[in-house]
Amino acid sequence: MIAIIVHGGAGTIKDEGRIPKVMKGVRNAVLVGWEELKRGSAIDAVEEAVKTLEDNPIFNAGTGSVLTLDGKVEMDAAIMRSNLEAGAVASIWGVKNPISIARKVMEKTDHVLLAGEGAVKFARLMGFEEYNPIIEERVEQWKKLREKFLEKGRIPHWKKISELIKEYPEVLRSTVGAVAFDGEEIVAGTSTGGVFLKMFGRVGDTPIIGAGTYANEFAGVSCTGLGEVAIKLSLAKTATDFVRFGLNAQKASEAAIELATRYFGSENMGIIMVDKNGNVGFAKNTKHMSVAYMKEGMEGPETRI
């Protein structure tokens, strides 16, 4: 039973006119991944699906990533196979598709995570050309949000971030991800530009194996939302443990979000999963999370928001 599921991020979409574009984006991504999956490769399916989302400026990953407090882009990405091979990059800039560089870390090095300037140098060594992922819409959003906070005489993220997001849900511009099962292997991948106005050097859950991205023989997981929550709970690994204890992907997803809500309240997290039986699962405690999935026997993608 082959299966693939993608997400375009959890949070609040204040402009509901964006929702059709978001849903079209995740639908396109799952179709791209599905074509690779039918050829028999979960790793290619996940990479191509995430690249499709990274290349779509409606999402906060790759082109269209949000800006840090000082107006730069610092992106994170990770990919992991069910044999526990994994690769990730953190705080990388000047590249188009961080997920592809994360895969190269997994396949070409003995490391798991490369960060900052080292990740950029590695990308160049692997032949990835310089690319500017900043778009004008994000610059305008950055200017407005920064002005709003400066007027209040405080800098965001130098206090409890959960309080900030409750007051200004638009700062949580989430993540993209994909999980696929090709009948033999489960693969999970995640990519993000992070949180709007994040402190320079801040790394979220996405590239932290076990926090925002994880895959093993039982399931694969991609998380989205407030990275600090997923890191503190090792949420992606915890969700696969729920499958190991006997839950299917949907029940495990719901249990993981219940855990996040119990400890950190609502409006902070979403999750997608595929388990070893090809079951898909997804859950959230936010207003929105764009999801699209396909399984063997389906004629077309199912989408949810």
Side-chain angles (χ1 to χ4, degrees), residues 241-260:
D241 286 340
F242 289 146
V243 175
R244 180 163 62 91
F245 297 149
L247 299 183
N248 63 27
Q250 183 57 42
K251 293 296 184 182
S253 297
E254 293 168 1
I257 295 303
E258 287 173 7
L259 189 67

Side-chain angles (χ1 to χ4, degrees), residues 41-56:
S41 174
I43 186 75
D44 290 342
V46 166
E47 181 184 8
E48 293 305 317
V50 173
K51 282 173 63 179
T52 300
L53 295 165
E54 287 177 334
D55 291 345
N56 187 335

Side-chain angles (χ1 to χ4, degrees), residues 77 101 140 161 256 273:
I101 300 159
E140 292 303 313
I161 192 170
M273 298 182 67

Side-chain angles (χ1 to χ4, degrees), residues 76-121:
D76 304 331
I79 196 164
M80 189 171 186
R81 312 177 79 151
S82 51
N83 64 2
L84 304 186
E85 291 183 356
V89 290
S91 298
I92 194 171
W93 63 85
V95 298
K96 186 177 184 182
N97 294 115
I99 192 69
S100 296
I101 300 159
R103 181 174 178 178
K104 289 294 185 184
V105 173
M106 177 179 69
E107 294 177 342
K108 299 295 186 180
T109 82
D110 295 319
H111 305 309
V112 172
L113 174 62
L114 297 180
E117 186 176 352
V120 177
K121 287 182 177 179

